[in-house]
């Protein structure tokens, strides 16, 4: 069986690794465009993840049996529609359903239509309208925190949690007048700031059945103690402390089920992975965001616990047979610690020589996923991105998983390497 994975990060490396590790049948793995670490387990083809027509032609020429999409950009561009039109089997939502992630306005209005609990919100089409909404004080007085979100995709940079109205007004200026994110902030969502622990509930769905993955928690800020700018994610954990069974039941009933019912009611085709970013408030769970894919680095922490055949799961998702498929996980917990390059998430320094990969891989129970690496002229490993490596481990307890990750991380070095030592704390 020939499988193509679209993307080039740690998430895609983990998906390919898990496919190979869990599959009952021999696989031929392709990745577009991939990275140097991925090239150790899959044939990488230099086609950009967003070049939807070229990817469909690749799948046709190579007679790929199944394509799995890692990130949101190709989904928003309609990769699933293009593959489906050509009769190619693919896992992921159609572009119309990928709007759950690609447009915050669409997502919020969808949640409102289908009574999925979320933060109270307004939509503004101009800076004047946004400022007027803030000054009306619907989300609290001048001293109250309030959240401004760019409508479009912004690679994690589109959300400002403002401490007070002045900061919120500055965010509106930057987003809507100075256009820091371009057209992505032509509209914004303004919403109440919620407080509570966060958790990510990610599941496979074929539009009817859902199979939950272990709930995860990520660490978005670059610095220890949740300081510094937001990143794509500096680490993630799974385990019994992330979400207790009663809250998990409540999340399924109050957020997962109405979301799936809403998709069906609106005729939105969704055969893929849906990610609910939640905040657990005293009044119950609230959905902060939808993603239409696995998280990165949540995927790395989750997939090291997978026991079932991932090919069979993706196959069942694509075929609409997920209801007949069981998914099993290793008990316990897991973690992924991201090793980043100097300057990440702002001005990233690349090309540093990476040492100690082999020694780190010898730590038992650890997997090392490549997010941004390349091979130099002598075959040496070099950094080629902001997030460079993800060190992941599953173990009976979170402490054990973290200890393994950090033992391996300590063996790796390059000029400018940094990572958080408080993942899971
Ligand atoms: P999002 O991309 O919508 O998940 O937002 C990114 C991060 O901003 C979330 O993980 C939260 O930490 C924070 N955030 C988003 N919306 C809110 C909100 N309404 N109240 C408090 N924090 C929020
Ligand atoms: N780690 C957050 C995300 O993948 O969206």
């Amino acid at each position: 069986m020939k499988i193509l994975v679209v993307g080039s990060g740690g998430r895609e490396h983990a998906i390919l690794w898990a496919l190979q590790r869990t599959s009952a049948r021999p696989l031929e793995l392709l990745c577009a465009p991939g990275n140097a670490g991925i090239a150790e387990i899959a044939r990488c083809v230099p086609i950009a993840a967003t070049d939807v027509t070229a990817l469909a032609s690749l799948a046709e020429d190579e007679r790929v049996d199944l394509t799995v999409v890692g990130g949101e950009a190709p989904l928003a561009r309609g990769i699933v529609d293009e593959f489906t039109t050509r009769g190619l089997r693919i896992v992921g939502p159609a572009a119309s359903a990928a709007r759950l992630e690609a447009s915050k306005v669409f997502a919020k209005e969808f949640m409102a239509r289908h009574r999925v609990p979320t933060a109270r919100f307004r939509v503004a089409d101009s800076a004047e309208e946004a400022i007027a909404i803030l000054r009306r004080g619907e989300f609290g007085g001048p001293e109250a925190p309030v959240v401004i979100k760019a409508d479009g995709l912004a690679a994690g940079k589109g959300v400002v949690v403002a401490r007070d109205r002045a900061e919120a007004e500055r965010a509106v200026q930057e987003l809507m007048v100075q256009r820091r994110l371009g057209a992505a902030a032509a509209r914004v969502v303004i919403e109440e700031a919620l407080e509570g622990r966060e958790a990510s509930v990610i599941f496979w769905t074929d539009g009817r059945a859902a199979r939950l993955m272990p709930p995860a928690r990520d660490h978005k800020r670059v610095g220890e103690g949740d300081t510094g700018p937001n990143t794509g994610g500096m680490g993630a954990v799974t385990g019994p402390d992330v979400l207790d069974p009663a809250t998990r039941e409540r999340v399924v009933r109050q957020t997962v089920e109405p979301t799936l019912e809403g998709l069906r009611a609106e005729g939105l085709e969704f055969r893929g992975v849906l990610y609910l970013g939640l905040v657990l408030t005293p009044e119950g769970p609230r959905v902060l965001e939808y993603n239409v894919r696995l998280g990165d680095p949540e995927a790395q922490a989750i997939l090291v616990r997978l026991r079932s055949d991932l090919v069979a799961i993706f196959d069942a998702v694509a075929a609409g047979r997920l209801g007949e498929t069981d998914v099993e996980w290793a008990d316990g917990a897991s973690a992924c610690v991201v090793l980043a390059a100097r300057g990440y998430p702002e001005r990233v320094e690349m090309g540093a020589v990476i040492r100690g990969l082999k020694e780190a891989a010898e730590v038992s129970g650890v997997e090392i996923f490549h997010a941004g690496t390349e091979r130099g002229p002598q075959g040496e490993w070099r950094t080629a991105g902001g997030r460079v490596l993800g060190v992941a481990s599953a173990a009976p307890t979170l402490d054990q998983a973290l200890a393994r990750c950090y033992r391996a991380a300590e063996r790796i070095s390059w000029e400018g390497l940094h990572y958080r030592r408080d993942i899971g704390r």
Side-chain angles (χ1 to χ4, degrees):
M1 185 166 184
K2 213 168 188 177
I3 302 184
L4 168 65
V5 172
V6 176
S8 61
R11 167 183 49 210
E12 289 74 24
H13 193 182
I15 291 170
L16 286 154
W17 169 85
L19 284 166
Q20 194 179 53
R21 186 179 57 94
T22 61
S23 174
R25 39 196 159 165
L27 301 179
E28 186 179 344
L29 298 175
L30 298 177
C31 186
N35 64 40
I38 289 174
E40 305 274 293
I41 60 169
R43 177 152 60 88
C44 292
V45 184
I47 299 175
T50 48
D51 194 345
V52 164
T53 46
L55 290 167
S57 300
L58 172 73
E60 273 173 353
D61 294 346
E62 291 274 355
R63 300 177 177 275
V64 167
D65 296 294
L66 181 69
T67 297
V68 177
V69 186
E72 66 279 11
L75 295 167
R77 285 214 188 183
I79 190 171
V80 171
D81 310 72
E82 176 72 20
F83 273 58
T84 306
T85 305
R86 296 205 207 179
L88 297 163
R89 185 173 263 200
I90 187 164
V91 181
S96 55
R99 278 182 298 166
L100 284 180
E101 177 167 1
S103 167
K104 297 262 189 214
V105 172
F106 177 81
K108 295 294 293 193
E109 291 176 344
F110 176 93
M111 287 188 252
R113 280 196 294 279
H114 301 289
R115 300 181 196 289
V116 177
T118 184
R120 286 188 301 117
F121 72 101
R122 295 267 173 218
V123 176
D125 293 297
S126 67
E128 294 71 39
E129 198 182 344
I131 304 283
I133 290 167
L134 290 169
R135 293 194 180 160
R136 275 208 301 274
E138 281 175 58
F139 304 107
E143 308 302 325
V146 58
V147 182
I148 314 288
K149 299 184 172 186
D151 177 44
L153 290 178
K157 294 188 165 45
V159 175
V160 178
V161 183
R163 267 162 303 196
D164 53 32
R165 190 178 294 165
E167 194 177 327
E169 290 194 15
R170 277 198 300 280
V172 168
Q173 286 292 332
E174 276 187 23
L175 290 171
M176 304 192 85
V177 180
Q178 291 152 28
R179 293 285 183 123
R180 178 165 62 81
L181 300 175
R187 291 196 292 175
V188 298
V189 169
I190 299 176
E191 67 180 34
E192 66 177 325
L194 296 173
E195 270 180 62
R197 276 154 67 92
E198 287 186 41
S200 300
V201 166
I202 311 178
F203 53 94
W204 287 283
T205 182
D206 59 4
R208 286 170 297 152
R211 291 288 179 270
L212 261 61
M213 304 180 197
R217 177 168 297 127
D218 73 340
H219 297 262
K220 286 202 173 80
R221 303 290 189 127
V222 71
E224 277 157 31
D226 285 330
T227 53
N230 264 324
T231 71
M234 292 298 289
V237 299
T238 75
D241 295 340
V242 174
L243 208 59
D244 63 82
T247 311
R248 193 184 122 118
E249 277 315 301
R250 197 167 174 192
V251 164
V252 169
R253 212 174 49 245
Q254 297 182 347
T255 69
V256 173
E257 287 172 3
T259 296
L260 292 177
E261 281 160 23
L263 286 167
R264 285 194 294 272
E266 299 194 15
L268 296 171
E269 186 84 19
F270 204 117
R271 293 182 177 192
V273 173
L274 192 51
Y275 173 134
L276 307 190
L278 302 164
V279 57
L280 309 171
T281 76
E283 289 76 45
R286 300 282 181 271
V287 177
L288 290 183
E289 66 162 342
Y290 289 117
N291 293 322
V292 295
R293 51 166 176 89
L294 271 158
D296 187 349
E298 292 88 331
Q300 293 87 311
I302 288 169
L303 291 173
V304 290
R305 287 183 58 186
L306 182 65
R307 280 266 178 81
S308 302
D309 184 334
L310 185 53
V311 179
I313 297 169
F314 280 138
D315 227 11
V317 168
R321 284 188 284 97
L322 190 61
E324 303 154 27
T325 306
D326 285 328
V327 180
E328 285 177 30
W329 302 94
D331 289 335
S334 65
C336 175
V337 176
V338 171
L339 311 191
R342 180 183 286 145
Y344 179 72
E346 275 133 13
R347 261 190 307 277
V348 175
E349 203 177 283
M350 295 192 244
V353 176
I354 305 169
R355 296 182 207 285
L357 268 177
K358 206 168 132 267
E359 293 74 9
E362 282 161 7
V363 174
S364 98
V366 159
E367 294 304 326
I368 297 174
F369 299 115
H370 290 235
T373 62
E374 60 184 23
R375 294 281 204 166
Q378 266 80 51
E380 75 280 13
W381 292 100
R382 287 182 182 266
T383 64
R387 292 191 289 181
V388 177
L389 299 169
V391 182
S393 180
T397 70
L398 181 56
D399 281 343
Q400 288 167 321
L402 287 165
R404 286 180 185 169
C405 290
Y406 285 116
R407 209 176 307 138
E410 277 161 18
R411 297 185 177 188
I412 299 173
S413 64
W414 67 79
E415 178 66 27
L417 160 70
H418 63 97
Y419 57 90
R420 283 182 60 165
R421 279 153 229 270
D422 64 346
I423 299 304
R425 300 291 167 219

